[in-house]
Amino acid sequence: MSNCKVIALTNQKGGVGKTTTAVNLGVGLAKQGKKVLLIDADAQANLTMALGYNRPDDIPITLSTVMQSIIDDKSFDASGGILHHGEGIDLLPSNIELSGFEVRLINAMSRERVLKTYVNEVRKNYDYVLIDCMPSLGMITINALAAADSVIIPTQPHYLSGQTFEALLDFNWTAEAVTNVLDNAVKYTPSGGVVDLKITEYPSYLRLDVSDNGIGIPEEEQAKIFGRFYRGKQSAGVDGVGIGLYLTRDIVNKQNGYIKVASDEKGTTFSLFLKKFREQ
Ligand SMILES: Nc1ncnc2c1ncn2[C@@H]1O[C@H](COP(=O)(O)OP(=O)(O)OP(=O)(O)O)[C@@H](O)[C@H]1O
Ligand SMILES: [Mg+2]
């Protein structure tokens, strides 16, 4: 079905009704005669259990199994592992193995596009593919975002529920932001080049400079590279989806910091200004 829509349901905060939304949206669409596949992309397997599969850890083929065969370059059967549920929806289940798999994924080739490869294979059989993400911005969630055509962020009308990100000085997210910039420095610098990291402390900011002597970013692209899915002209032959800097800027901004870029044909420096956290 060429018009299949792929939708990721995501929110950094747990308990906001992602799984409930996934199930109800899925069943509702199925009742309208649509062919629907739900993908459980959370190691806690809430969606899998919500659909009545009470022992997810006993299920032999799950999301991590199919993603692993893609990484291993094995051929896979597009209908393999898919469970057919009584409500007229299909499910690719998940279980605890997904959390171990997430760690292995970090070192895989095209690590952010593994789920997209799977989805591209199965979407011809469906009108809708809904991906229920885990409440964190790890590699699996990034895979879901890269695979999706659109995103639904379920929130609850609760005072704090929209503010989780803003208030947060979170180690893992900051690490994700820094990793993306380092990843670029390595990726866009030919072998034999130099990547340098410098930390400077200011009264209210920590400044982290990541410099490389790679291919540089043309001036007219420098404002665009933080856009979602923007890829530079020079990156044509290099793997990527254009999400790295978008996420980095979002993470840094939401922690009250900012990011700057300086670049010419001799190389590039990204400066991350991270707001220092004052304990009261
Ligand atoms: N250190 C750098 N040197 C040269 N170009 C860079 C550098 N960092 C980023 N770019 C340019 O900015 C673009 C956007 O970067 P971004 O990290 O968002 O996406 P990507 O690296 O293309 O893909 P992804 O990070 O999603 O795998 C890149 O496509 C590249 O053209
Ligand atoms: Mg990148």
Side-chain angles (χ1 to χ4, degrees):
M1 282 168 212
S2 55
N3 284 329
C4 175
K5 287 193 174 49
V6 182
I7 304 172
L9 293 121
T10 169
N11 190 321
Q12 306 324 314
K13 191 173 155 61
V16 290
K18 275 194 309 292
T19 300
T20 314
T21 308
V23 172
N24 287 305
L25 192 60
V27 172
L29 288 165
K31 290 220 158 102
Q32 290 178 17
K34 307 290 185 198
K35 288 215 69 188
V36 180
L37 173 66
L38 299 180
I39 297 179
D40 192 347
D42 184 348
Q44 291 191 12
N46 290 332
L47 175 63
T48 302
M49 288 189 284
L51 290 173
Y53 304 95
N54 291 325
R55 298 172 62 104
D57 294 346
D58 295 345
I59 302 175
I61 303 179
T62 60
L63 177 61
S64 55
T65 335
V66 288
M67 286 178 81
Q68 184 69 53
S69 25
I70 291 167
I71 292 182
D72 296 343
D73 242 349
K74 289 193 194 133
S75 64
F76 66 94
D77 167 11
S79 56
I82 293 179
L83 304 171
H84 306 287
H85 188 267
E87 297 270 13
I89 46 182
D90 283 357
L91 169 73
L92 182 66
S94 149
N95 62 26
I96 192 68
E97 281 173 28
L98 193 64
S99 55
F101 175 75
E102 176 149 41
V103 177
R104 292 202 296 281
L105 192 57
I106 291 176
N107 295 313
M109 286 269 285
S110 303
R111 56 198 177 155
E112 68 283 332
R113 285 192 298 194
V114 180
L115 184 54
K116 190 181 177 78
T117 306
Y118 174 75
V119 166
N120 282 348
E121 202 53 48
V122 295
R123 66 188 296 163
K124 55 183 179 288
N125 301 326
Y126 294 96
D127 297 303
Y128 288 90
V129 175
L130 308 179
I131 309 172
D132 186 26
C133 299
M134 59 184 94
S136 69
L137 191 62
M139 280 314 295
I140 302 286
T141 303
I142 290 175
N143 263 269
L145 294 174
D149 309 316
S150 51
V151 177
I152 294 178
I153 305 178
T155 48
Q156 277 176 357
H158 178 268
Y159 175 59
L160 280 176
S161 86
Q163 293 192 355
T164 46
F165 205 4
E166 279 82 354
L168 181 93
L169 270 176
D170 181 277
F171 176 80
N172 289 326
W173 286 34
T174 307
E176 167 82 35
V178 175
T179 308
N180 288 342
V181 174
L182 279 173
D183 186 52
N184 284 346
V186 173
K187 201 158 77 166
Y188 300 113
T189 303
S191 62
V194 179
V195 174
D196 189 44
L197 232 158
K198 193 176 92 190
I199 296 179
T200 321
E201 190 163 358
Y202 297 114
S204 47
Y205 288 95
L206 269 188
R207 171 179 179 164
L208 180 71
D209 290 321
V210 179
S211 307
D212 65 61
N213 60 357
I215 59 176
I217 305 167
E219 201 171 339
E220 66 277 11
E221 286 190 349
Q222 288 176 18
K224 298 183 192 156
I225 51 176
F226 298 100
R228 189 150 62 122
F229 300 131
Y230 183 84
R231 304 210 65 212
K233 292 195 184 65
Q234 305 186 94
S235 64
V238 188
D239 250 354
V241 289
I243 196 95
L245 288 175
Y246 170 79
L247 292 173
T248 296
R249 188 170 69 170
D250 207 34
I251 293 167
V252 171
N253 285 353
K254 283 180 171 152
Q255 299 189 115
N256 298 318
Y258 57 100
I259 180 169
K260 288 201 318 198
V261 60
S263 184
D264 59 25
E265 63 286 348
K266 294 199 206 77
T268 303
T269 298
F270 280 94
S271 305
L272 274 66
F273 292 82
L274 306 169
K275 185 101 164 104
K276 285 205 299 209
F277 179 63
R278 265 178 231 283
E279 282 184 72
Q280 298 293 327

